[in-house]
Amino acid sequence: MIASAVRCGGKADLAKQARLPRILAETLDGDAVLPVLAVHIRLVEMVPRYHGKRCRMHVEYGNKPNSLRSDTNSFSPVVPVPEDGGLVRRRTASVASSEVSSTCMFLLNGLVEPIIHLTLCKTGFQRLNLAKASIPLVDLIRGGEVELPLYLASKEKVGRVFIACDVNEAQQKNLARSLALVCADDQGDAFMISGYATTLAGDPIDENSDGGDTTDAFSQLQCLPPTPTVRVGQLIAGLSDE
């Protein structure tokens, strides 16, 4: 199934061949079923010195050089001001946090290593890597929502990120239409959906919908054809064997 869609001739071509936007753009049978990995970055909490810094989370599926990459929307961790308007020094006892609510959607395949790497980056004129975290894909799939510590290169823990993922299968035509309805950002290797932490489950999309309501568009993205439990189990087992 994956091999026919990806048509990969060797590992040197993995990063080029296993891109979900590329696969969806190809002229394939619209009923072709594609395995999809949706990585949800939900919340970031940092130590107070990161208050107000403009950041993105860089999401990498696999190991370099054969990895697939995507960035979340930008966000700024903020230390909340006490409700009683207390002194600024009271902020030092809190954390700087931000809802990220971004989903990075990849083509799930056995052609890249089953691991997710996260890099917190400071945006601006020059991109700066701030902190990192990693988790094997099998652990992320089995763990539901996972809390990962974020570390500097010096091994200092400076925060944490809340992450989850869905593994599912969707018909090519339904997936392409749903991503268009929510204005998903084509990032080359993957699609990024800002503002939502989606779940790939539910009933098939109504092909007669006009897609005019963005709220309805999101509900349709949640309604991709579900994978039977046995098939999801097989996907997880396949990752464990690599």
Side-chain angles (χ1 to χ4, degrees):
M1 175 181 60
I2 299 175
S4 61
V6 175
R7 303 193 195 110
C8 180
K11 284 208 168 184
D13 297 327
L14 294 186
K16 294 181 180 179
Q17 299 291 339
R19 294 170 175 169
L20 183 58
R22 178 183 183 276
I23 296 300
L24 290 183
E26 287 190 348
T27 304
L28 299 175
D29 179 359
D31 293 328
V33 176
L34 300 176
V36 177
L37 168 65
V39 180
H40 315 300
I41 309 299
R42 293 178 169 162
L43 174 72
V44 169
E45 293 182 345
M46 304 298 295
V47 294
R49 69 173 181 265
Y50 289 89
H51 171 79
K53 293 185 183 294
R54 198 68 173 168
C55 301
R56 291 182 187 271
M57 189 67 74
H58 180 69
V59 182
E60 188 171 12
Y61 169 33
N63 293 325
K64 292 182 176 66
N66 296 319
S67 62
L68 301 171
R69 297 168 291 276
S70 181
D71 287 330
T72 69
N73 60 307
S74 60
F75 58 91
S76 296
V78 175
V79 178
V81 177
E83 292 183 3
D84 60 1
L87 298 177
V88 174
R89 68 169 180 267
R90 290 181 59 183
R91 286 185 170 184
T92 58
S94 304
V95 297
S97 65
S98 177
E99 294 281 350
V100 182
S101 299
S102 292
T103 293
C104 299
M105 200 168 292
F106 301 92
L107 178 71
L108 179 73
N109 63 89
L111 306 174
V112 297
E113 292 296 320
I115 189 169
I116 299 295
H117 299 287
L118 304 177
T119 304
L120 180 69
C121 304
K122 181 182 178 183
T123 61
F125 180 74
Q126 185 175 13
R127 179 166 167 158
L128 177 65
N129 293 343
L130 300 176
K132 296 185 176 183
S134 297
I135 184 171
L137 186 53
V138 173
D139 294 344
L140 180 57
I141 292 171
R142 290 173 174 163
E145 182 174 274
V146 177
E147 173 190 323
L148 295 180
L150 290 164
Y151 291 100
L152 301 179
S154 64
K155 307 302 182 184
E156 177 191 358
K157 181 181 176 181
V158 292
R160 58 183 180 171
V161 56
F162 294 85
I163 178 177
C165 81
D166 290 311
V167 173
N168 221 305
E169 292 179 333
Q171 287 183 327
Q172 181 196 14
K173 62 184 179 182
N174 287 346
L175 180 59
R177 184 169 181 270
S178 295
L179 291 170
L181 284 171
V182 295
C183 301
D185 182 17
D186 180 348
Q187 298 195 347
D189 287 357
F191 287 99
M192 191 277 288
I193 306 165
S194 177
Y196 304 123
T198 65
T199 299
L200 299 178
D203 299 320
I205 290 174
D206 179 4
E207 294 292 343
N208 296 318
S209 170
D210 59 13
D213 185 348
T214 57
T215 301
D216 182 62
F218 173 52
S219 68
Q220 290 198 29
L221 184 58
Q222 290 181 309
C223 291
L224 295 170
T227 302
T229 303
V230 63
R231 299 295 297 280
V232 173
Q234 290 170 354
L235 290 171
I236 296 175
L239 292 171
S240 301
D241 292 338
E242 293 184 0

